[in-house]
Amino acid sequence: MPATVKSNDGNLYTDLADYYDQFCAEVDYAGQCAFAVRVFDAFAQSGGRDYLDLACGTGPHLQEMTRLGFVPTGLDNSAAMLAQAQVRCPQANLLLCDLAAFEQVYRFDLISCFLYSIHYSHPLNNFAETLRRAFCALKPGGVLVFNTVDANGARQQRKVVTQVQQADALLRFESGWYYRGQGEVLDLRLSITRESADNTQTWHDHHTMTATTLPQVRDLLLATGFEVTMLEHDYDRLAPWTGDSYNAIAVACKPTAAHQQLY
């Protein structure tokens, strides 16, 4: 009989940490990191190369940014993911905590949060708190870069499906957003199936993420004290966001004169 596992408390990432990289095989981590370096070169004025990846998962961004000359630190709320990240990038300093709970001050030159992971900070006050903590964690002149989605466009996003053939099993990963059309709840629904000759296992998971609009994200960053540039969601170039698309990349610079803590 097929086995079904329902996880609604983050255990899915514990159960499937060993498979996570296979599900994300089509993600261009190298391209995202190359883009982050272009942003850094264009905007940063902090003078160092200390790097923090928020929601680092198994560490592919850490590994690539180390290769590109940065000193890596990763943060995630999954110990199983961080264990994989430590193997992948042994020199990285790793932090086990939620996005809205890290407490570093004036430590980093560059902070990234890709794969829309900034939206895991829920509800909206936690989202804003994550931005405030990133502001404090940056050195003056440092840069925060992350991708973000407008909730109104999330309803138009297609479900993402990835299949990976292993020696003894077929893995199928499905994910999709659902937005009710109002409020600050953006649902991420996940379904993962591992099918072998002897057994079929299915994991269902649901994450409550924060629904925002892109102008709202920009306004939250400005209120935090950042200088903000919104770019098109295109990792091949630095193109200003025209306001017509529902996906964007936020580049938030901490002013060089920002020496006052927010706490």
Side-chain angles (χ1 to χ4, degrees):
M1 293 289 292
T4 298
V5 180
K6 293 185 178 180
S7 174
N8 292 296
D9 56 4
N11 288 337
L12 177 141
Y13 292 116
T14 299
D15 296 341
L16 298 175
D18 292 339
Y19 300 135
Y20 183 81
D21 289 338
Q22 297 177 63
F23 298 144
C24 297
E26 297 179 5
V27 175
D28 185 7
Y29 292 107
Q32 292 175 1
C33 289
F35 175 86
V37 173
R38 289 198 298 276
V39 166
F40 180 80
D41 289 342
F43 290 93
Q45 301 180 56
S46 55
R49 295 179 76 84
D50 291 307
Y51 168 66
L52 171 64
D53 188 33
L54 298 177
C56 68
T58 61
H61 291 114
L62 298 175
Q63 182 182 43
E64 182 65 16
M65 293 297 285
T66 301
R67 189 187 70 79
L68 294 171
F70 287 79
V71 180
T73 297
L75 179 151
D76 205 280
N77 66 357
S78 168
M81 289 291 194
L82 290 179
Q84 296 287 326
Q86 195 72 81
V87 172
R88 169 178 263 126
C89 191
Q91 61 271 60
N93 179 44
L94 300 177
L95 307 173
L96 177 64
C97 68
D98 290 332
L99 288 174
F102 64 106
E103 299 179 346
Q104 283 65 33
V105 176
Y106 299 158
R107 180 173 172 185
F108 300 105
D109 302 279
L110 175 63
I111 299 176
S112 69
C113 190
F114 290 122
L115 304 179
Y116 301 101
S117 297
I118 196 80
H119 291 274
Y120 281 110
S121 286
H122 184 82
L124 187 61
N125 63 322
N126 279 357
F127 189 101
E129 181 67 17
T130 297
L131 300 181
R132 286 193 291 268
R133 289 180 182 263
F135 186 90
C136 284
L138 285 169
K139 302 172 189 176
V143 177
L144 166 67
V145 57
F146 60 92
N147 60 340
T148 180
V149 61
D150 192 299
N152 295 308
R155 290 183 292 176
Q156 302 179 23
Q157 303 285 333
R158 296 180 179 178
K159 183 181 294 186
V160 176
V161 180
T162 303
Q163 289 194 159
V164 178
Q165 182 64 59
Q166 294 184 308
D168 61 343
L170 176 67
L171 299 176
R172 179 180 175 89
F173 175 72
E174 297 183 10
S175 66
W177 278 313
Y178 175 74
Y179 183 54
R180 297 174 177 85
Q182 60 182 359
E184 61 181 67
V185 174
L186 178 64
D187 293 305
L188 176 64
R189 297 173 179 175
L190 305 171
S191 177
I192 299 173
T193 301
R194 185 179 188 276
E195 183 177 354
S196 66
D198 301 325
N199 188 32
T200 297
Q201 294 174 286
T202 300
W203 291 262
H204 295 295
D205 203 18
H206 165 261
H207 294 269
T208 299
M209 305 177 78
T210 295
T212 62
T213 65
L214 297 184
Q216 185 178 21
V217 170
R218 180 186 56 209
D219 290 346
L220 286 171
L221 287 166
L222 289 170
T224 303
F226 283 109
E227 297 170 349
V228 183
T229 301
M230 301 295 286
L231 301 177
E232 288 292 337
H233 199 270
D234 184 345
Y235 292 112
D236 293 327
R237 59 195 180 106
L238 303 183
W241 180 57
T242 64
D244 297 326
S245 57
Y246 287 114
N247 303 79
I249 299 171
V251 177
C253 303
K254 183 173 182 175
T256 54
H259 293 288
Q260 183 176 3
Q261 263 187 262
L262 294 180
Y263 302 101

